[in-house]
Amino acid sequence: MKFSAKLSDFQVCLQKALPAMPRKSTLPVLEHLHFSLKNNALQVIATDQDVTIMTGMVVEGSLDGSILVPGRRISEIIKALGIGGNIEFSTNDDNFEITINSDSGKYTMKGLDHMEYLNIPELFESEKPEYTDPDNINKQNGILSVEFTKEEIKKCAEKTVFAVSNDEFRPAMNGVFFQFRSTYVNAVSTDSFRLVRAVVRSENAVYPDELDLIIPARSMDVLKKVDQDVKMSVIQIAEKITHVRFDIGETIFISKLIDEKFPPWESVIPANNDKTAMFNQKEFLTAIKRVSIFTSVISHQIRVTLEENEIKITGEDEELGSQAKETIKCDYMGERFEIAFNYKYFEEAIQNLDGITEDNLLVMSFSESTRPVILKPNNDLDDLLMLIMPVRIH
Amino acid sequence: MDAFFASVEQRDYPEYRGKPIAVGGARKRGVVAAASYEARKFGVHSAMPGKIAALKCPELIFVQGHFDVYKAVSKQVMDIFRSYTDLVEPMSLDEAYLDVTENKAGSPSATLIARDIRKRIEEETGLTASAGISFNKFLAKVASDFNKPDGLKLITPDQADEFIRVLPIEKVPGIGKVTAQRMHKLDIKTCEDLMRFQKFDLVKLFGKTSVYFYEIIRGEYDSPVILHRTRKSIGAERTFLDDISDEAQMLGELERVTEILKNRMVKAGASGKTVTLKYRYHTFEQHTRSRTVNFNVGGSGSDLLMIARELFDTPIPPSKPLRLIGLSVSNLYSDEPGSAGSQLTLEF
């Protein structure tokens, strides 16, 4: 196998595949990237068995072939070479030695026979869905498929993934729950201390109806970084949906799904949060950042007190004798109301509500100091909701 | 209440009256839950294996318990207590502390109230109860045991010193059989003997709880009557009729115990963060394994079984025949006010 390529393009290509490669694996072959060259098309595959990425680039090929390349080593040297110039990549098919020639020098490393790589049926046997008729794209050739703009998929990923639970004993919560309901898609995450719901809507019924999937947090992290529109389809084995496939340009990204039942999240969204306060996102966020410095490292507790048109944010660490108090303006009419939170949950929620509306105003609604609080941007879209459970005060 | 379960049986089944009976303990490996006073004369007491009880008292009649009835009677009795004061701290189905400093009867005398309560219990349930009256919980408890059954004992502040000095250490709540034996070896027989020790030495000899003994016998420990005693853990366990050595069978039993515990938890509305697996080998050697997770494990859902199985398997499943397997959840989520600072969770 032999080709030459522009260093900067080669770097981009490796960056796309690497998120699927495990840093450490019990299967050493998985710490390799699968390279194969046919004419001028280089194909790169990485997998950790839960997530698989196949990407590629156009190179100047001179000898076709396949090889497994040590993933960490090649990515590090390519990164260290900078972005200027070209490289020449060649292999010795007798001893699987890989040589990279660049303007700076020559680097050699040991690869593995590509035949040792895993078979990835969900990759090689799934088909790229076709999209022809936008009114009838749900089921073509039996393949469920959906189109997301890059803004839509980023929103579903960015706004939710931070609230996913990393508790191995609650596998259902280790991912983002996608609910497809013909004209809209809910992306929901929770760790039982907070919950996020992001919604993507369409004027037409372009989404499948009544399709529920849980996509692992790791895969959502990959989707957070996509820079173009994606086409999503599902992969079924014996009539059961096991994987989800995203076609991002020429890159194929396949993720295993979490085969669990997501908790009934609708039932915990309070309908009777009758009190509301409106405040500036940035003012609140910077106040929390300062006050939190003075809270107890064990409880991380901040207290939020609402009085007419102002919010007091206080934090203290009784044991160490530190205290902080800030007051910011807000729109609130009603009785004095006091509630406490783990500041990290509050901070993360507010952070993720940044820049959604022009005026950057957030609306907080609540009922009692032991009941969930809802944070939303100040608009009527109802497409983003963050719920936080408080810390008991008394 | 005096010999509570046994007395209820004797009340409801006249043929048992005047006879030594034991509630529970009839099964191969069961233990006696309660013994009538007639049976106690033979040395039969609660928690004694049925086999041994039968040896001690050949005429002993084993009776199956009627827990619904005990519960109903308990409620009757507790309602009587509450008609005198709201400060009632139930210790078990048939025992409670009452703070009658201020009472609904407007009576200045605790003794008169105790008399009244005992009379009403007898009239309304046909059972007898014993009462102890004093100025703290420890002395009240000791006093109630003093004239059992059907007795009443008052310990006034003037009498307290003398009373405590001669009190055998076994009568001190919290000093069980094992501690008592160890104390006897050191020639500690009465509370007076115990008083000779410094707090520091007691802790060295008998551990941290001895601070409590040190204080109560000096009348320094004065805990209030607590309205809601909070549950510390909830559990279930099974002792097998025959020892189990097959791993699949062990797992089956673990699932059964988990199911029982789950039902109990749902009923009690309990959830907690620490799960403990207990198993006892046929040799009586006992082990526990526990794990604390960062969410509240509840009675519904599959979390509990998953954790139980993980505890069972890690590092390796029990290696010898099992006599008992048990599972409990502690570090309980408390909905009581007072657990300030606790992070609330969404109840799915």
Side-chain angles (χ1 to χ4, degrees), chain B residues 274-320:
Chain B
T274 303
V275 180
T276 304
L277 170 75
K278 166 166 118 185
Y279 55 93
R280 192 179 288 157
Y281 288 134
H282 64 122
T283 53
F284 277 87
E285 180 192 335
Q286 184 172 304
H287 296 266
T288 57
R289 295 173 176 178
S290 67
R291 173 166 180 141
T292 300
V293 294
N294 65 4
F295 61 94
N296 284 301
V297 183
S300 54
S302 56
D303 299 336
L304 189 62
L305 183 62
M306 234 161 66
I307 299 169
R309 290 199 58 152
E310 152 121 5
L311 288 170
F312 182 87
D313 286 330
T314 329
I316 50 160
S319 53
K320 288 186 252 177

Side-chain angles (χ1 to χ4, degrees), chain B residues 107-140:
Chain B
S107 167
S109 161
T111 312
L112 288 178
I113 292 175
R115 238 174 238 161
D116 243 31
I117 290 177
R118 290 187 53 238
K119 203 171 128 220
R120 275 188 58 192
I121 290 177
E122 190 157 6
E123 283 168 5
E124 290 176 30
T125 69
L127 300 165
T128 63
S130 299
I133 305 134
S134 196
F135 55 92
N136 67 32
K137 279 168 39 177
F138 159 60
L139 285 170

Side-chain angles (χ1 to χ4, degrees), chain B residues 47-68:
Chain B
M48 178 179 272
K51 248 181 167 171
I52 296 175
L55 282 175
K56 292 212 175 223
C57 175
E59 285 123 86
L60 188 66
I61 305 166
F62 287 99
V63 178
Q64 195 160 19
H66 297 87
F67 284 87
D68 293 346

Side-chain angles (χ1 to χ4, degrees), chain A residues 54-273:
Chain A
M54 180 165 94
T55 188
M57 65 182 290
V58 176
V59 295
E60 228 170 88
S62 43
L63 183 62
D64 287 359
S66 297
I67 193 156
L68 300 184
V69 186
R72 184 106 62 94
R73 187 152 282 155
I74 191 163
S75 66
E76 281 175 8
I77 180 61
I78 295 303
K79 210 160 135 195
L81 280 171
I83 46 168
N86 292 301
I87 55 139
E88 194 190 75
F89 183 104
S90 59
T91 62
N92 178 336
D93 289 342
D94 296 326
N95 60 7
F96 307 113
E97 199 170 79
I98 298 161
T99 306
I100 294 170
N101 271 303
S102 82
D103 298 343
S104 315
K106 177 180 166 185
Y107 315 94
T108 312
M109 59 189 140
K110 211 56 179 168
L112 289 173
D113 184 356
H114 76 99
M115 297 300 281
E116 287 180 34
Y117 208 60
L118 300 187
N119 179 27
I120 313 165
E122 60 271 16
L123 173 64
F124 298 117
E125 285 162 29
S126 71
E127 297 164 47
K128 182 173 180 170
E130 282 170 43
Y131 301 87
T132 44
D133 179 3
D135 292 328
N136 188 28
I137 60 167
N138 295 345
K139 278 201 176 176
Q140 284 202 358
N141 313 324
I143 306 168
L144 280 169
S145 60
V146 180
E147 231 164 328
F148 283 114
T149 65
K150 83 177 173 203
E151 289 79 18
E152 286 169 341
I153 195 70
K154 272 176 97 111
K155 175 179 170 186
C156 288
E158 265 174 8
K159 300 300 177 197
T160 57
V161 77
F162 73 93
V164 167
S165 166
N166 53 18
D167 193 321
E168 56 180 306
F169 283 111
R170 311 197 96 174
M173 295 186 192
N174 293 167
V176 176
F177 184 48
F178 277 78
Q179 286 180 307
F180 294 89
R181 298 288 182 270
S182 40
T183 57
Y184 67 94
V185 183
N186 283 325
V188 183
S189 67
T190 182
D191 60 3
S192 84
F193 306 124
R194 57 219 166 130
L195 183 146
V196 182
R197 176 208 187 202
V199 193
V200 168
R201 293 179 202 280
S202 164
E203 280 178 17
N204 305 315
V206 295
Y207 303 117
D209 201 11
E210 299 295 317
L211 172 68
D212 294 350
L213 307 170
I214 306 175
I215 302 180
R218 264 206 64 209
S219 306
M220 298 308 293
D221 277 329
V222 175
L223 293 173
K224 245 161 84 172
K225 297 186 191 109
V226 302
D227 54 1
Q228 44 191 310
D229 298 351
V230 303
K231 290 167 182 169
M232 190 195 107
S233 53
V234 296
I235 298 169
Q236 307 188 31
I237 293 175
E239 307 224 332
K240 190 174 163 64
I241 299 176
T242 57
H243 292 78
V244 62
R245 167 175 166 150
F246 293 92
D247 284 89
I248 311 157
E250 290 309 306
T251 301
I252 298 171
F253 165 53
I254 291 173
S255 167
K256 204 173 177 173
L257 293 168
I258 296 175
D259 185 18
E260 294 282 338
K261 202 169 159 14
F262 200 76
W265 64 273
E266 290 99 331
S267 67
V268 300
I269 309 272
N272 54 349
N273 274 9

Side-chain angles (χ1 to χ4, degrees), chain A residues 167 169 192-193 389-390 392-393, chain B residues 294-295 335 340-343 346:
Chain A
D167 193 321
F169 283 111
S192 84
F193 306 124
M389 285 304 281
R392 190 183 288 280
I393 305 178
Chain B
N294 65 4
F295 61 94
D335 209 17
S342 57
Q343 171 69 49
L346 291 165

Side-chain angles (χ1 to χ4, degrees), chain A residues 271-289:
Chain A
N272 54 349
N273 274 9
D274 50 350
K275 300 170 195 150
T276 58
M278 191 160 71
F279 53 84
N280 182 284
Q281 186 260 353
K282 288 208 158 51
E283 279 178 33
F284 206 121
L285 187 62
T286 49
I288 288 185
K289 279 192 196 297

